[in-house]
Structures are given as C-alpha cells and as structure tokens.
Amino acid sequence: MFRPNPRGRGSVLALTAALIGHASLARSHDVDIPATPVNIKGHYDTAVGTTDASSAGSVTSRRLETRPVLRAGELLEFVPGVIVTQHSGDGKANQYYLRGFNLDHGTDFLVQVDGMPVNMPTHAHGQGYTDLSFLIPELVNRIDYRKGPYYAQNGDFSSAGSASLRYADELDKNTATLSFGSFNYKRALLTGGPELAGGRLVYGLEFQGTDGPWDVPENYRKLNGVLRFVNGSQADGFNVTVMAYDGKWDATDQIPGRAVDRGEIGRFGSLDPTTGGTSSRYSLSAARYADFAGGRWEVDAYAIRYGLNLFSNFTYFLDRDQGDQFEQADRRTILGFHPRVTFIGKLGAFDTMNRIGLQGRFDDIDQVALFDTVARERVGTTRDDKVRQGSLGFYAENSTQWLPWFRTVAGIRADMYKFNVNSSLPENSGNNNDSIVSPKLNLIFGPWAETEFFVNYGQGFHSNDARGTTIRIDPKTGLPADRVTPLVKTHGSEVGVRTQFIHGLQSSLSVWQLDLDSELLFVGDAGSTEASRPSHREGVEWSNHYVAASGWLIDLQLAWSKSRFKDDAPEGNYIPGSIQTVGALGVTYDPGGKWFASLQTRYFGPRPLIEDNSVTSYSTNLTNARVGYRIDKTWQVRLDLLNIFGRKQSDIDYYYPSCTRSELAGGAYASPDCSGPAGTRTGINDIHYHPVEPFAARVSVSAQF
C-alpha cells in the first residue's frame, strides 16, 4: 500500500505514523512520509491518506520550478485558490486573496518560512503584514498548505489558511544563473550545497533589480542571502540558518481612473513621484530534532530583526495642500520558540498518536509610527509608538485509527497575549491582555476505491493591532476612539472528498464556511486596516492534478465564495474587496529530455468595492509561459513570458475619495469637492487601481557545476 522512502532517510516516527495512517501529523522538517503510490509523485504530496482535509496538501520543488513568477511572493499561488497581486512597488508586501477574503497584506492567512512566522502583528502598514521579498524561490523545497482553522499547531492569522515554506536541506549541484529582461530587469543568483564538517552547507546569494513599466522608474534593488548548515539525519539532526535581505524601491501607488481617462496621467503614471520605501530583514534560526523510543521531539527557535520605511500617497491632495504623502515606519526585533513532542502508542486496542507543543513569540517594536511627509521629508507626526507584544500558545492533538476506514484528529489550542503600548500620545499608552481557547475536530473516512471523505470543524482567531487595544484618542482627529477586542474569534467548518480513482488524476472537492466575530478592512486614506463588523463566508473549491502521457501535467483549480457582513446596516452588507470567483489552469510539459515548457493562466473575478455592491471592480485574467532547453548536463537556457496577451487590467481596485492637484481651486479640473480649504475637502469618489504589468520577457542562462 505504501511507497518506500525514496531517499531512505526518513525518521522511525514518520514510518510508524504512516503505517497506522497518521502520515499528515508527522510531516515536519521535510520528513519523507510513505504514502499511496501515484503518478503525480514529484510534483505534489496530495495523495489519498496524506492529509486530514481535502483542502490541505503539499507542493514540491519539482512543481515550483516549472513556471515563472513575476515576484517571489507569487510562489503562494501554487496554493489552490490563492491570488497574489500588488498595489505599489515591488519591495512592498504583496496583496493576497483566498476564500472570499481580500487578505490585504496577510490578515487571516498564516505564512511561515523554515518555521519562522512572516506575518507581522501591530505593523505600521497593516495587521498581519506578510512580506516575502526575502524569499529565494530556487531554495524552496516544498510548500505545505492548509485551509481553515482546523489545525491545533496553527494560531494567529490562520483562519482562512496557512502556508509553510521549507528551504532545502541539501542541493545536489551548485548553480549560477543570470537573467535579463524587459524594463531593465536583471538578476544574478548563486546557489549550492557542498559538504562541510560532516554536514551540508546550503547557500544562496541573489541580486535583483528592475525599473518596471512605470513612468517613474521603480529602481527596485534587492540583495538577498541565505546560509544554512544541516547536520545528521531526520531521525537525529539539526540545522542552523542565517538569512539577510535589503531592498529599496520607488513606487507607483494605485491611481484614480478619472485621471487616466482625461489624460492627466498615463496608465503607468503617478500622482506622487516620490513614494516608495526601504525594507530589511535579518534572521537567525535553528532546529533540533530526534526520535526516541515511541516518539519524536523537535525544537525550533528564531531571532529576526526587521525594518521598514514606507512612503505612500493614496488620496493625493485631499487633506493637505502640500500633498497627503505619509510615512509608515516599523523597527522590531522578534524572538520565538516552538518545542513539541509526538508520542505513538495505543488507546486500548486502537493505534494512536499524540502531539503537544508550545509556541512563544515576543515582538519588541522599537518604533511603529505614522508621519506626514513631503517628498519623503517628515513634516508632522501623527503617532510614534513603542510596543512590546508577547504571546504564548499551547496545543495538544490526538489522532486515533478507530477502524480501518475511520480515524479522528481532535485538538485544542490555548493562546495568551500581552500588550504594552508606550505612545507619543500619553492618553493612548497602556497595557492589555487577552486569552482564547480554540477546539478542533477532524473526521476522516476511507479510503474506498482510492477515495476518502472529510468532515472538519475548528475555531481560530486573529489578533488586532496592540495600539487599538489601548487607544483612547484618535491621533488623526483628536476625537475619542473606541478600543478593539485584542483577540477575535473565528469559527469554520468543511466537508470534502479526495479521490484518485481515475488513473493519473488527483481530484479534491471542498465545501466550507467561516464566521468572523470582527472583519479587518483596508482603509484607503490611512493605508492600513481597522476592525469592523462580524462576517460570514461560504464557498466551494475544486482542485485537480492530472498526469497525462509523455511528461504532461495538467492543473485545474476553481473556487467560488460568498462573503457578507452578518449584521444589517444601512450602507449594505457586502464586504469591500471580497473575492468571489477564482480559476487557474496550468499545462506543463517535461518528459525529461532537452525541451520543457509550461503555460499558466489565472482568473479572479469582480469584487464589491462598497458595502451596497453599487461599485465593483473589474475581473483580471493573466497568462504566463516558460520555454526551456537543456543544452547539456551543465548549461540550461529558458525564456519566461509574462502577461503574454498584454492584458490591460488591474492588479487591484479600491473605491474611495481623493483629490488630484488639478482638481484644487484654480486647477484645470477644479471641483467643488476639492476646492475648499485643506481639511474640509470631501473629495471625489472613484475607482483607484494599480495596473497589471504589460507583456514582458525574461531570459535566464544557468550553469550547474
């Protein structure tokens, strides 16, 4: 029933867990889990018997290397149903969509890289801010994804789903790659995995730059490095990883459609040529793991130093005569740990697995601030705070095989948070704390005829910005402000089926729903998120991977969702930005010879931009392709084609009021909504969009040695 370990280095625990049907629980540190044989092996680990829900799975490095991405964060689009976009410069975190959410920059979607959290709570630009610019895609060994709040090991920000990206423990060859392309794109990458001191050293060094298609050149430049030492085996070993990233860029923020329609600016133009930013991320992480008689223990620990200075202008001249540009500054040190232990044994006559774990995180935020700026020079301070935020999460999970065709995974999670805010406005300083308990239950039936069925339920949560938990005075208006609940409960459930009854085809179907006690919404004039009304979402997802003859792989993903606020309000119950329809179709050809190619198209449909649904966004449909040729065992060349049909569509759309310079009193397009004194202008409501980048080509030459 089970395939052998292809590398012969999986842990004793992993083998035992698989034999009693608990393979999904033993997945960590890329342990090779025996599973049902299927032709798709090498691209996905989503076979029958490998997960606890039909909406969970893994994508391997072999699949990740088959198609191009415009930005590193787009690796998350390998997770079925996820859409990754951008509304500003490349150095800024991407915008994410999943399961009816406009996730902004990461709210309610947990992302981890090598056991380190990427989401930033109490962030200057948005709660849960998730910037993957530091990622080197060629080093990613796999992506493990789970959707819904059904998993005890996932805490904050994981209600819609989670993705855990793992860097490789070994590389067979050293590789040097040079890339050049449209809009002054250039990239140099060096990776390798030599043996060292009885272990293996995995390294990556990357330089990347681009100006983009923008009228104001983006001048994006980043330096990126990874150094990883791995010693021992999965049964008894450790790794230590150092990462370093620095990026800087000039940005074209979203622009008002009316300014383009009347020729004030072009489609790739800007109303403030001085927006942009700088960002950095340095980290040190380590993991130790070993089997013992009847179980396994693991410990992760990490330290991260992060910085961001982000200059944005979304409303142009609505609030100030000199322009509405503002700076969001964030400086923090993050410390964390995650010990856990797994026991395999018996519950009476039944095979069982128990796991307990503890997750601790402390964010020492030296500065989280909002400044008024002109051409990146500070001219006023809205707020400038120091925050200390700590959390401790305990979880326990039991998996029991009650019958050959029935098993359960039951878990519980308890989280405690403490906040300390030292604000530049003394009235907004203070302390707060909160705790929350989240039960989970998963029922797995089958397999019968290579088909299994799932019933999943779980409660989860997301944290709110610490500053909102102690606020008394709105720093922008000076008026009294309401505090937010520190931890917001979510409730989710799902039924699903996964089958590989048809030879070569893996197919899964999920029907889900999710309730949030408080929605997080994007605020256009502040460039941040705020807590809002309770909401309900429901939807259907269908995911397919089909291996045809002669090296052909076909992927088809379809998702539909409905999102509404639960309480009735005069303004309406639609959730602005909530995505409804997502589709993706991919075709890959690689028989292992000289030539290889792939074609990928993805679609996401219109979204409501206002609560009464009277204004909606446009749909977007983009197609990318890759064609490659292996010259010999050393040299390879490939051509990436992005937006091959040159679609003139939007990466993202918002609806809010703004004023351009020409709409002020005396301007060519003077409007009564923008002609009054600063501070009294109501602005002109309009769709503001960030265009997708036009057709672009990139050529890469790689040498292995």
Side-chain angles (χ1 to χ4, degrees), residues 173-223:
K173 295 182 179 180
N174 304 315
T175 304
T177 302
L178 290 177
S179 304
F180 302 93
S182 307
F183 312 119
N184 199 27
Y185 175 84
K186 46 191 174 292
R187 183 176 186 242
L189 174 67
L190 181 66
T191 62
E195 294 183 357
L196 178 69
R200 185 168 291 272
L201 190 68
V202 176
Y203 66 86
L205 182 62
E206 175 191 36
F207 165 78
Q208 182 178 321
T210 183
D211 288 336
W214 319 107
D215 293 349
V216 177
E218 190 171 30
N219 194 31
Y220 177 48
R221 301 292 183 269
K222 78 171 178 180
L223 283 172

Side-chain angles (χ1 to χ4, degrees), residues 1-4 18-19 21 34-38 48-49 404 446-447 450 500:
M1 176 179 177
F2 302 105
R3 64 174 166 86
L19 290 173
T36 306
V38 62
V48 168
E450 297 296 316
Q500 52 196 51

Side-chain angles (χ1 to χ4, degrees), residues 223-241:
L223 283 172
N224 213 0
V226 174
L227 190 63
R228 179 177 176 86
F229 180 71
V230 182
N231 187 271
S233 68
Q234 288 294 338
D236 188 357
F238 71 91
N239 64 63
V240 179
T241 305

Side-chain angles (χ1 to χ4, degrees), residues 388-391 415-421 430-436 466 469-470 483-487:
R388 308 291 182 265
Q389 177 171 330
S391 64
D415 288 272
M416 298 170 288
Y417 277 68
K418 284 195 172 184
F419 310 95
N420 173 268
V421 178
N431 300 293
N432 209 330
N433 61 79
D434 201 359
S435 60
I436 198 166
T469 71
T470 62
R483 295 183 176 184
V484 299
T485 302
L487 304 180

Side-chain angles (χ1 to χ4, degrees), residues 155-481:
D156 202 0
F157 304 121
S158 64
S159 294
S162 67
S164 177
L165 295 85
R166 289 285 180 183
Y167 272 162
D169 283 346
E170 58 182 285
L171 297 177
D172 294 334
K173 295 182 179 180
N174 304 315
T175 304
T177 302
L178 290 177
S179 304
F180 302 93
S182 307
F183 312 119
N184 199 27
Y185 175 84
K186 46 191 174 292
R187 183 176 186 242
L189 174 67
L190 181 66
T191 62
E195 294 183 357
L196 178 69
R200 185 168 291 272
L201 190 68
V202 176
Y203 66 86
L205 182 62
E206 175 191 36
F207 165 78
Q208 182 178 321
T210 183
D211 288 336
W214 319 107
D215 293 349
V216 177
E218 190 171 30
N219 194 31
Y220 177 48
R221 301 292 183 269
K222 78 171 178 180
L223 283 172
N224 213 0
V226 174
L227 190 63
R228 179 177 176 86
F229 180 71
V230 182
N231 187 271
S233 68
Q234 288 294 338
D236 188 357
F238 71 91
N239 64 63
V240 179
T241 305
V242 178
M243 303 183 196
Y245 160 78
D246 272 289
K248 64 176 184 177
W249 66 96
D250 300 321
T252 296
D253 288 332
Q254 64 256 24
I255 52 177
R258 65 185 187 277
V260 178
D261 293 342
R262 66 195 180 206
E264 187 175 354
I265 57 174
R267 177 173 173 79
F268 301 105
S270 174
L271 290 171
D272 186 341
T274 64
T275 56
T278 62
S279 184
S280 62
R281 185 185 187 277
Y282 306 93
S283 67
L284 171 65
S285 62
R288 178 76 171 94
Y289 35 88
D291 291 340
F292 60 86
R296 178 178 176 85
W297 63 269
E298 303 167 89
V299 179
D300 291 333
Y302 57 86
I304 304 169
R305 181 62 181 172
Y306 168 84
L308 174 73
N309 292 89
L310 181 63
F311 300 88
S312 307
N313 189 345
F314 303 133
T315 54
Y316 322 116
F317 294 91
L318 176 65
D319 298 320
R320 294 186 285 139
D321 288 334
Q322 68 270 47
D324 296 347
Q325 187 185 98
F326 57 91
E327 176 191 2
Q328 291 164 310
D330 197 297
R331 295 284 184 278
R332 70 179 66 202
T333 299
I334 307 167
L335 303 174
F337 60 89
H338 181 196
R340 54 208 181 273
V341 62
T342 305
F343 303 95
I344 290 191
K346 291 282 189 179
L347 181 63
F350 307 106
D351 294 318
T352 189
M353 175 186 289
N354 293 290
R355 171 175 287 183
I356 58 173
L358 187 67
Q359 294 169 330
R361 173 172 175 170
F362 178 68
D363 285 63
D364 187 354
I365 308 173
D366 302 326
Q367 182 182 52
V368 54
L370 177 62
F371 303 103
D372 293 332
T373 56
V374 176
R376 301 198 188 189
E377 294 293 328
R378 294 175 183 174
V379 297
T381 301
T382 301
R383 66 182 307 168
D384 188 356
D385 304 336
K386 296 177 184 288
V387 176
R388 308 291 182 265
Q389 177 171 330
S391 64
L392 195 64
F394 169 81
Y395 65 89
E397 193 172 61
N398 168 267
S399 179
T400 300
Q401 191 80 40
W402 301 99
L403 296 168
W405 50 266
F406 176 61
R407 63 186 173 94
T408 61
V409 181
I412 192 164
R413 181 180 181 94
D415 288 272
M416 298 170 288
Y417 277 68
K418 284 195 172 184
F419 310 95
N420 173 268
V421 178
N422 183 6
S423 177
S424 55
L425 296 174
E427 299 91 338
N428 289 336
S429 297
N431 300 293
N432 209 330
N433 61 79
D434 201 359
S435 60
I436 198 166
V437 176
S438 307
K440 326 276 184 176
L441 179 62
N442 304 282
L443 311 178
I444 301 94
F445 302 87
W448 297 287
E450 297 296 316
T451 303
E452 60 186 343
F453 301 87
F454 306 87
V455 178
N456 309 99
Y457 170 80
Q459 296 181 12
F461 71 98
H462 67 234
S463 63
N464 274 323
D465 192 306
R467 295 169 294 176
T469 71
T470 62
I471 194 171
R472 291 183 176 88
I473 302 296
D474 187 309
K476 199 79 172 177
T477 65
L479 298 175

Side-chain angles (χ1 to χ4, degrees), residues 125-140:
H125 185 66
Q127 183 71 348
Y129 189 83
T130 303
D131 185 2
L132 286 169
S133 300
F134 68 92
L135 200 66
I136 298 179
E138 289 81 356
L139 292 183
V140 177

Side-chain angles (χ1 to χ4, degrees), residues 653-701:
D653 298 275
Y654 300 105
Y655 185 75
Y656 58 83
S658 64
C659 291
T660 69
R661 185 186 294 275
S662 66
E663 291 164 345
L664 302 182
Y669 302 98
S671 167
D673 297 317
C674 296
S675 296
T680 67
R681 300 164 189 157
T682 58
I684 300 172
N685 283 302
D686 196 6
I687 292 179
H688 297 68
Y689 66 89
H690 193 260
V692 299
E693 297 197 19
F695 170 80
R698 296 174 180 177
V699 177
S700 300
V701 178

